[in-house]
Amino acid sequence: MRGDVGWRGGLVRVLITGCAGYIGTTLTPYLLRRGYEVRCVDKLIFGRDVVEHVLGERGFELVEADVRSVDPQVLSGVDCVVDMAAIPNDPAGDLNPELTLSINYRGRARMASMARERGVPCYVLFSSCSVYGRQEGPVDEAAEPRPLTVYARANLLAERAVLPLASEGFTPVALRLATVYGPSRRMRFDLVVNAMTLSAYREGRIYVEGDGMQERPLVHVLDVARAVERVLEAVERDPDPLKGQVINIGSDEQNYRIIEIARIVRGIVGGEIVFRGEVDRRSYRVKFGRARRLLGFQPLYTVEDGVKQVYHELLTGKLKPEPRWITVQWYRELLSRNPEVLLKW
């Protein structure tokens, strides 16, 4: 447990953009319980109820706003920005490429520039291992990115805009996350482990796209929250080793072929593995040594843990499948109500 003394002689205040998202609704209460203050910036397009668990908590502040136009004053008194606001996956990113670029790339570049200008010492960019695209053999942060989608390209553009801002007194860090899994307040059933667990539970079928031989690294949503805390602690101790760094977040042990994930789900939930669709061009096995060296980070949770947790919450009714838990489905529903809604975001 961290102490109560932060960089400014008091509790550290973290600004989280996208804190009402899948990772944000886990990260926010985690940091609050670890003694941080959290200022949240989010448009709440998935509903206000997803942040009810932290409303009224000591140290929590909600700012309902668009990160692309939010007043720079929101950064007043902030010690670190954790910038997660984004169109969060490939299918949703393809719905409106310009929107994806405006939020995932230009919105983040704006936030990082404002943070530097206002003297915020730390900025954490949420990126993705999807920037690797398709690779032969395991890759680390030095590998040449090969983004294959608008979502992946936007992440890479954001990295290239933000990391060169590193300077004395300003430490930007980019975290390339493995594919995340596990239960969350703002659930996502469009992530591979969660999606397979849901279909096994509801249909007795586990769907595998293509031949299932494509590779993915995986990480539990709570381990992502732990990794963010490790970054905050490391920057507080000595920012120089992290300044301008890209860090993969996950573990070497949790690189899987898609078919292997399906077999894990079948072993816990049951069900038949069903192959369908075309082979996914994206395939990458990732190395995570830099996170161990710079952050001392090692995940606590396994894929088996995540499947059991999601399955348990489905069985007990705590998790109820609904359209907004599948990102692209929710965006399409919003579009059906108002065709201009995405353009207004």
Side-chain angles (χ1 to χ4, degrees):
M1 181 70 176
R2 70 183 301 278
D4 286 342
V5 178
W7 304 327
R8 301 160 69 94
L11 291 178
V12 174
R13 178 177 292 136
V14 180
L15 175 74
I16 301 178
T17 73
C19 72
Y22 174 64
I23 297 171
T25 51
T26 294
L27 175 62
T28 298
Y30 177 86
L31 290 182
L32 287 170
R33 284 155 183 75
R34 299 290 289 176
Y36 292 86
E37 296 179 0
V38 175
R39 181 176 294 158
C40 163
V41 177
D42 201 289
K43 283 204 72 173
L44 302 181
I45 64 167
F46 292 94
R48 192 179 183 85
D49 61 311
V50 298
V51 294
E52 283 181 350
H53 60 313
V54 289
L55 289 177
E57 282 215 18
R58 181 185 176 189
F60 178 74
E61 179 185 356
L62 176 63
V63 178
E64 189 172 349
D66 189 321
V67 293
R68 295 169 296 174
S69 57
V70 67
D71 192 313
Q73 187 62 31
V74 78
L75 292 163
S76 178
V78 168
D79 297 299
C80 192
V81 174
V82 179
D83 204 353
M84 296 190 298
I87 303 295
N89 65 5
D90 295 303
D94 290 340
L95 277 179
N96 188 323
E98 175 53 32
L99 177 71
T100 302
L101 288 167
S102 74
I103 298 174
N104 296 26
Y105 162 40
R106 290 188 287 273
R108 289 163 162 188
R110 174 180 185 261
M111 181 63 71
S113 294
M114 290 193 307
R116 183 187 182 195
E117 289 168 5
R118 296 187 70 88
V120 177
C122 169
Y123 172 92
V124 181
L125 172 71
F126 265 44
S127 186
S128 167
C129 285
S130 66
V131 302
Y132 295 117
R134 188 172 188 87
Q135 302 279 348
E136 297 298 326
V139 295
D140 62 14
E141 294 86 350
E144 183 65 28
R146 297 173 183 171
L148 298 175
T149 63
V150 174
Y151 169 75
R153 287 196 297 274
N155 276 316
L156 187 58
L157 286 169
E159 289 181 16
R160 289 175 174 174
V162 165
L163 296 180
L165 298 176
S167 61
E168 184 66 31
F170 185 65
T171 301
V173 182
L175 304 183
R176 288 180 182 166
L177 304 187
T179 299
V180 188
Y181 63 86
S184 179
R185 179 82 177 203
R186 198 299 257 185
M187 189 55 181
R188 282 186 61 188
F189 282 120
D190 51 3
L191 295 164
V192 62
V193 173
N194 298 348
M196 287 182 173
T197 304
L198 177 63
S199 66
Y201 165 74
R202 295 177 80 177
E203 306 174 38
R205 292 186 167 194
I206 303 159
Y207 296 105
V208 173
E209 304 302 325
D211 60 6
M213 297 305 289
Q214 61 270 36
E215 294 182 295
R216 289 287 188 285
L218 301 171
V219 66
H220 193 284
V221 63
L222 191 53
D223 280 322
V224 174
R226 294 178 54 248
V228 171
E229 184 186 25
R230 291 296 178 93
V231 172
L232 299 176
E233 292 172 339
V235 172
E236 188 172 359
R237 285 193 306 270
D238 180 6
D240 287 344
L242 272 71
K243 203 177 292 287
Q245 289 281 357
V246 173
I247 306 175
N248 296 330
I249 298 298
S251 67
D252 295 358
E253 296 76 19
Q254 291 192 49
N255 282 290
Y256 288 94
R257 295 192 184 277
I258 298 298
I259 185 61
E260 295 171 338
I261 303 170
R263 289 168 181 154
I264 291 172
V265 173
R266 182 178 61 184
I268 294 169
V269 184
E272 171 192 7
I273 295 175
V274 177
F275 295 89
R276 67 180 186 184
E278 298 180 358
V279 174
D280 192 334
R281 290 186 302 152
R282 298 167 302 161
S283 183
Y284 42 90
R285 177 175 289 266
V286 178
K287 293 195 260 187
F288 298 93
R290 185 174 291 179
R292 292 194 302 273
R293 292 192 303 273
L294 292 181
L295 305 177
F297 172 75
Q298 278 279 75
L300 291 178
Y301 297 94
T302 65
V303 174
E304 288 83 356
D305 293 330
V307 173
K308 289 174 183 176
Q309 290 165 351
V310 173
Y311 185 37
H312 173 266
E313 295 205 0
L314 287 168
L315 286 171
T316 59
K318 187 173 181 180
L319 268 179
K320 294 181 174 64
E322 53 181 291
R324 61 180 173 155
W325 296 163
I326 298 176
T327 305
V328 73
Q329 187 174 332
W330 184 241
Y331 288 176
R332 285 177 176 148
E333 183 164 321
L334 293 176
L335 279 169
S336 70
R337 299 178 192 173
N338 179 4
E340 299 298 314
V341 68
L342 287 181
L343 297 176
K344 294 177 181 177
W345 285 354

